[in-house]
Amino acid sequence: MQQEQTQKQIFSSSSKHHGCGSVISWEQIEEGIKGSFQRGFFRITFSKEAIARIQISQSESFEENPYSVIKSDPFYAFDLDEEEKYLYLKTETLKVQLNKVNGVIKFYDSQGHLLNEDDTLGTAWIGTEVNCYKKVQEGERFIGLGEKTGGLDRSGKAFTNWNTDYFAYGVGDDPLYMSIPFYVGIHSKGQYGIFFDNTHKSVFNFGASTNRFMYFGAEDGDMDYYFIHQASVSGIISEFTNLTGRMELPPIWSLGFQQCRYSYYPDSEVLTLAKTFRDKDMPADVIYLDIHHMEAYKVFTFDGEKFPDPKSLIKHLKSLGFRVIVIMDPGIKAEENYLPYQEGQSKDLFVKYPDGAEYQGQVWPGWCAFPDFTKSKTREWWAEKMAFYTDAGVDGFWTDMNEPASWGQFTPNLIEFDFEGEGASHRKARNIYGMQMARSAQEGSKFNSPEERPFILTRSGFAGIQRYAAAWTGDNVASEEHMLAGVRLVNSLGISGVSFAGYDVGGFAGEASKSLFARWMSIGAFSPFYRAHSMINSNDAEPWAFGEEVEEISRNYMKLRYALLPTIYSKFYSSTQTGLPICASLAIDYPLDQKVYHSAYENEYLFCDTFLVAPVESTKEITKVYLPEDDWYYLYTDEFYAGKKEIYLDCPLNYLPVLVKAGSIFMMQNVVSNTSQINDGVLRVHVYKGGLGSEFIHYEDDGLSTNYQSGEFSERKMSYDPEKMELILGKPSGNLGSAYSEIEFYFHGFQLVTVTVNEKSHKVEEKDFAFIGKLTEFDPLPEQEHPYHEIKNLKTIKIKNDKEEIKISGLF
């Protein structure tokens, strides 16, 4: 009877909330402190002066996630003070206060401003579920969390991290394919980031159904989070990506236009597709082969009927300037005579039930076994199998269905993974499965083509996925709402460390209208990842499939994209160094400007630090745009606007609202049909007059190999100083010469007759210039005429590209 009563008490207590309680004991360790609460154990350490790690567990040994954090070396330069009720750990940037009475933690900046604090409930458990309850500071907003739908500001909403295959998801649905448990809190006293390093299903509640606190927690595992503070949101993102890694420099062809369909087959259709791009003068670099390239949907096969000679096909595509990317799904068909299945079984590479039986789920090929990518042996085997594709000439790999997805959408939680030898159930391993498949694909690409940079595209991932792959936002829908939701998803992924991201232009599910596709193509040109993709059993959705007008609009923005590649590629390189996004929500640079969170303006973003893009539905002919602090030029006419105000802009289908920040510098080249085509040798540098100057790092390398890592690059800083009225091109660094023999400067907003180039007078020419080509007037009726914008009498000079410093003076 007594034993039964004890069991009832244990069960009852496990279903109730239990806080940590007071500090029972503590001791200093080299990198911080550790100790015990009444219920649980804690450790507070620093990995940098700006990053504190908080670990709280019910066990004396703390759990570790071996996949996300790559730079967590202990940081020892901190001071430790004790008062009657409090312990203080201080660095030059951050102060952490631990209340010994109730376990509550507070974070302050170096000036003593309160950044973040626990609610009095602190960290607590309900059974195995662990949560950390935080007070919301006055006026506090929350951004980030990666691939999450909804508004820019997460306040008042709750989100779940559980990687989910979600076909045709709604613009407010959650969860989706990828989980990145990192957010940034912003208020008038400062900003901070929190990365919750727990791979179990987790929840972030930013005040949904409660006005007392926000909280984050997981259904199991430790409370293990990194608290990051810097003086700017960009500084916080940079610290987070230093912690979890940054993307590697991708091959330049992956920044060009990419065309996909579920599916292009047989091989003759693929060739027709490639030829049509070239015949229609539409620049493009990549064609995808979706699941119908395979025999019975089995990975590491080609369908012998549809693709009888894949090697010759791919060789021919390359002669036309196209790269080929193939899809790879994780499910290995459970078929006795299928070699990958035989090998997986014999080498013990598949996910299992606790009793050792092989787990199978149903996917495209039928019943499938699933490789355990949390096991190093499996990743090595997958790399070896990928030689099948690289031998055929395949250039890139698209990891899909890697949540992992299966029919029924309910993978049993008891199945077991290796988890780098530690062992883990599906509950702990699911969220990192897709990331580890992407890792396997990247390692396989490097193993089989060691001289070339890999390109991996993934649907699923976790914090740190940017080290291995670009991301796209899954099976979206051809609608105006989805087009704008995709912009927010990409911007949020950028906040969360994933710089290389995009959406299916035109929408995957459903069919885009003519106007929707045209607008989406223009917005996609200002996205890091630029791919059109559509679903089987739908109308053709290539850029020429919607009529002549849409074809011309698409061509114009595709050409603008290729003309801007020197800027885009340079900014990709910069992102590999800083971790900052290519598409940056205005909340990054203007976090305390309340207007940037307004539903009318939350979709706006800065592309490559320079272009203010204001996405707008295709159904609108005029739109309201918010211009934050700074001055701005309308891209297509050079019309000048002061910042901190709302303006109205016309937005006909052929002109996406785009402005340029005053004081900016960016680069262009002549339009090429693909990135392997040689440019005309002229680098076109656009400089915009402004009260504040700027710097631009122009970066070049061969765009394909890893030789840049051993110095084979050219890097040159360009600085515009409005006070001195001069533009300085520093001496290039690196062992590679520039691909451009001449530089043509375009001076926007300047009143120039002559300038001085390295102390010699140089006459300024004038020319008319258009960023977007004129549309053909197919209908002769006057009311059908399209607007056309051209910048008249733009000031320009052309000089030789000297390897020494170049100074241009007299810019007024």
Side-chain angles (χ1 to χ4, degrees):
M1 185 72 180
Q2 186 176 1
Q3 182 181 6
E4 183 181 340
Q5 181 65 29
T6 303
Q7 288 175 336
K8 284 181 179 179
Q9 287 174 349
I10 292 172
F11 179 80
S12 174
S13 65
S14 70
S15 66
K16 292 178 62 179
H17 167 274
H18 289 290
C20 294
S22 60
V23 173
I24 300 299
S25 65
W26 69 276
E27 63 178 295
Q28 183 173 354
I29 56 178
E30 268 194 303
E31 64 271 30
I33 60 173
K34 68 175 184 179
S36 60
F37 294 117
Q38 286 176 303
R39 304 178 197 88
F41 302 85
F42 69 89
R43 186 161 60 193
I44 302 175
T45 56
F46 292 96
S47 54
K48 286 186 73 176
E49 66 176 28
I51 303 177
R53 183 182 186 185
I54 311 299
Q55 294 171 274
I56 301 174
S57 176
Q58 294 191 88
S59 169
E60 195 167 359
S61 60
F62 298 97
E63 290 189 12
E64 296 285 343
N65 164 17
Y67 299 113
S68 292
V69 172
I70 61 166
K71 291 186 178 178
S72 188
D73 297 330
F75 180 80
Y76 304 119
F78 69 93
D79 295 321
L80 177 63
D81 296 321
E82 183 179 14
E83 295 179 359
E84 182 181 354
K85 290 185 178 180
Y86 304 106
L87 288 169
Y88 296 96
L89 292 86
K90 292 182 283 188
T91 70
E92 289 187 5
T93 303
L94 197 57
K95 180 171 77 172
V96 183
Q97 173 191 291
L98 171 63
N99 188 321
K100 292 188 288 183
V101 176
N102 59 11
V104 163
I105 298 174
K106 295 184 179 182
F107 301 89
Y108 299 85
D109 68 12
S110 59
Q111 306 300 311
H113 299 127
L114 179 63
L115 298 169
N116 175 267
E117 60 182 317
D118 289 353
D119 182 86
T120 52
L121 295 170
T123 294
W125 294 272
I126 303 173
T128 63
E129 178 186 319
V130 61
N131 293 293
C132 183
Y133 301 90
K134 297 281 189 183
K135 288 185 179 180
V136 178
Q137 304 303 308
E138 185 177 353
E140 188 167 10
R141 296 182 183 274
F142 306 97
I143 62 174
L145 275 196
E147 190 186 58
K148 293 298 179 187
T149 58
L152 169 62
D153 183 4
R154 306 300 188 187
S155 299
K157 305 291 183 182
F159 303 89
T160 300
N161 289 311
W162 186 244
N163 292 352
T164 301
D165 172 18
Y166 201 152
F167 172 75
Y169 55 89
V171 296
D173 288 345
D174 181 72
L176 299 184
Y177 311 91
M178 188 171 292
S179 298
I180 305 179
F182 167 76
Y183 75 91
V184 178
I186 297 166
H187 54 81
S188 60
K189 300 296 184 182
Q191 52 274 315
Y192 63 89
I194 286 181
F195 167 45
F196 180 33
D197 193 13
N198 182 317
T199 65
H200 286 90
K201 180 187 287 187
S202 61
V203 169
F204 283 70
N205 184 333
F206 297 104
S209 303
T210 175
N211 61 2
R212 174 172 173 174
F213 46 64
M214 65 80 57
Y215 69 90
F216 55 91
E219 63 179 14
D220 206 339
D222 291 350
M223 177 51 57
D224 184 354
Y225 69 92
Y226 293 83
F227 185 91
I228 306 169
H229 171 63
Q230 282 289 359
S232 64
V233 174
S234 59
I236 291 166
I237 296 169
S238 198
E239 291 284 10
F240 172 64
T241 56
N242 189 55
L243 192 69
T244 58
R246 293 167 180 158
M247 72 169 173
E248 295 184 1
L249 189 60
I252 193 167
W253 54 261
S254 66
L255 309 188
F257 182 73
Q258 308 188 24
Q259 183 66 46
C260 187
R261 181 174 175 83
Y262 163 43
S263 294
Y264 289 120
Y265 66 90
D267 54 1
S268 57
E269 183 177 354
V270 178
L271 287 172
T272 300
L273 176 74
K275 190 172 184 302
T276 307
F277 272 107
R278 299 298 176 240
D279 290 346
K280 288 185 173 292
D281 187 28
M282 289 184 150
D285 268 84
V286 177
I287 291 174
Y288 284 73
L289 300 181
D290 207 324
I291 60 174
H292 290 95
H293 83 271
M294 295 181 272
E295 176 193 316
Y297 309 122
K298 293 184 289 187
V299 68
F300 308 125
T301 67
F302 278 100
D303 186 302
E305 241 180 75
K306 300 185 184 81
F307 295 91
D309 190 353
K311 196 172 287 190
S312 294
L313 168 68
I314 294 171
K315 184 178 179 181
H316 186 60
L317 290 171
K318 287 188 176 181
S319 74
L320 297 173
F322 284 97
R323 303 281 177 156
V324 173
I325 293 174
V326 296
I327 195 168
M328 294 194 303
D329 290 348
I332 302 293
K333 184 174 177 61
E335 184 177 270
E336 293 304 325
N337 62 352
Y338 176 37
L339 184 59
Y341 180 67
Q342 293 172 349
E343 292 176 346
Q345 277 195 320
S346 64
K347 296 181 180 183
D348 190 26
L349 303 179
F350 295 142
V351 176
K352 294 181 176 180
Y353 289 104
D355 61 4
E358 175 183 291
Y359 166 71
Q360 292 184 5
Q362 206 169 7
V363 207
W364 298 114
W367 288 102
C368 293
F370 290 82
D372 183 356
F373 293 112
T374 70
K375 181 185 287 190
S376 60
K377 274 174 52 180
T378 307
R379 296 192 293 269
E380 291 165 7
W381 168 77
W382 191 267
E384 293 166 1
K385 300 307 295 180
M386 284 173 60
F388 171 83
Y389 289 122
T390 52
D391 288 348
V394 169
D395 300 284
F397 301 92
W398 170 22
T399 61
D400 193 18
M401 304 290 285
N402 55 337
E403 289 72 34
S406 60
W407 309 154
Q409 300 281 30
F410 210 89
T411 305
N413 275 336
L414 81 169
I415 62 173
E416 295 183 340
F417 297 75
D418 182 74
F419 220 79
E420 309 309 316
E422 294 179 14
S425 74
H426 174 254
R427 293 205 311 166
K428 187 175 182 178
R430 181 178 182 87
N431 280 340
I432 54 85
Y433 186 84
M435 176 185 182
Q436 294 311 295
M437 183 183 180
R439 172 186 179 180
S440 301
Q442 188 201 64
E443 290 173 353
S445 186
K446 290 180 176 181
F447 174 77
N448 292 294
S449 303
E451 302 302 318
E452 296 181 19
R453 297 178 213 170
F455 174 73
I456 312 300
L457 179 66
T458 188
R459 190 169 76 174
S460 182
F462 193 72
I465 184 61
Q466 64 272 6
R467 305 197 303 268
Y468 306 120
W472 101 103
T473 59
D475 297 340
N476 64 354
V477 177
S479 71
E480 305 282 347
E481 296 80 13
H482 254 273
M483 178 175 67
L484 299 182
V487 169
R488 292 193 299 278
L489 287 170
V490 169
N491 292 350
S492 184
L493 283 164
I495 291 168
S496 311
V498 184
S499 298
F500 201 176
Y503 29 74
D504 283 346
V505 170
F508 179 70
E511 295 173 342
S513 66
K514 292 181 177 182
S515 61
L516 175 61
F517 189 86
R519 179 69 83 206
W520 217 327
M521 282 293 289
S522 66
I523 296 172
F526 294 91
S527 169
F529 177 64
Y530 191 19
R531 181 182 80 158
H533 185 29
S534 57
M535 190 180 169
I536 199 168
N537 292 324
S538 64
N539 291 335
D540 289 351
E542 292 71 43
W544 52 81
F546 296 86
E548 290 85 350
E549 180 184 5
V550 176
E551 180 180 322
E552 287 201 0
I553 292 170
S554 298
R555 182 185 296 109
N556 277 343
Y557 280 94
M558 293 161 81
K559 287 189 170 185
L560 179 59
R561 168 75 172 208
Y562 277 74
L564 286 170
L565 278 177
T567 294
I568 297 170
Y569 192 62
S570 295
K571 290 301 181 182
F572 263 82
Y573 173 72
S574 175
S575 185
T576 68
Q577 306 301 300
T578 66
L580 297 179
I582 313 298
C583 285
S585 164
L586 297 186
I588 294 176
D589 283 357
Y590 311 97
L592 296 181
D593 187 336
Q594 302 306 310
K595 282 282 177 65
V596 306
Y597 303 97
H598 194 284
S599 59
Y601 309 121
E602 65 180 350
N603 300 322
E604 294 181 19
Y605 62 94
L606 286 175
F607 181 66
C608 294
D609 302 328
T610 300
F611 302 97
L612 175 60
V613 181
V616 58
E617 298 93 334
S618 70
T619 53
K620 290 186 177 179
E621 296 181 358
I622 189 169
T623 189
K624 205 173 182 181
V625 175
Y626 176 64
L627 304 179
E629 191 175 1
D630 292 316
D631 295 326
W632 306 88
Y633 292 84
Y634 184 55
L635 175 66
Y636 312 104
T637 65
D638 270 1
E639 186 172 354
F640 178 84
Y641 295 94
K644 288 290 278 186
K645 67 178 183 182
E646 297 154 303
I647 63 170
Y648 286 94
L649 287 177
D650 290 334
C651 53
L653 272 183
N654 56 328
Y655 284 106
L656 174 71
V658 179
L659 297 103
V660 180
K661 184 189 291 188
S664 291
I665 307 167
F666 66 83
M667 316 289 140
M668 296 182 74
Q669 65 179 12
N670 69 303
V671 178
V672 292
S673 67
N674 62 87
T675 55
S676 65
Q677 185 177 337
I678 304 299
N679 62 63
D680 66 1
V682 180
L683 181 66
R684 292 142 174 101
V685 178
H686 291 259
V687 186
Y688 286 76
K689 186 176 182 179
L692 297 174
S694 67
E695 291 183 351
F696 184 95
I697 306 296
H698 179 231
Y699 178 83
E700 299 175 61
D701 58 29
D702 64 24
L704 299 172
S705 76
T706 57
N707 294 342
Y708 71 96
Q709 296 172 348
S710 54
E712 292 298 310
F713 63 84
S714 174
E715 186 176 328
R716 187 173 210 167
K717 182 166 77 172
M718 304 186 184
S719 305
Y720 166 52
D721 187 335
E723 289 188 6
K724 295 181 179 178
M725 295 188 294
E726 65 184 22
L727 177 69
I728 296 177
L729 281 65
K731 194 173 179 179
S733 61
N735 300 327
L736 188 70
S738 175
Y740 304 96
S741 57
E742 294 182 295
I743 305 178
E744 189 170 17
F745 295 90
Y746 294 84
F747 296 102
H748 299 260
F750 294 89
Q751 303 300 316
L752 305 174
V753 178
T754 62
V755 294
T756 300
V757 180
N758 288 347
E759 301 183 353
K760 290 183 180 179
S761 181
H762 197 294
K763 186 180 178 183
V764 174
E765 306 290 336
E766 292 184 349
K767 64 167 63 175
D768 298 341
F769 182 86
F771 283 100
I772 292 291
K774 184 176 176 62
L775 295 188
T776 303
E777 300 301 344
F778 296 103
D779 192 328
L781 295 175
E783 60 266 26
Q784 300 301 320
E785 289 182 0
H786 298 94
Y788 174 63
H789 297 312
E790 196 173 45
I791 302 167
K792 298 292 186 181
N793 304 318
L794 185 58
K795 312 296 183 181
T796 179
I797 65 170
K798 185 185 283 189
I799 64 174
K800 293 291 183 185
N801 188 3
D802 199 323
K803 291 185 178 180
E804 299 302 316
E805 180 182 272
I806 299 172
K807 181 186 289 187
I808 303 175
S809 306
L811 302 180
F812 60 90

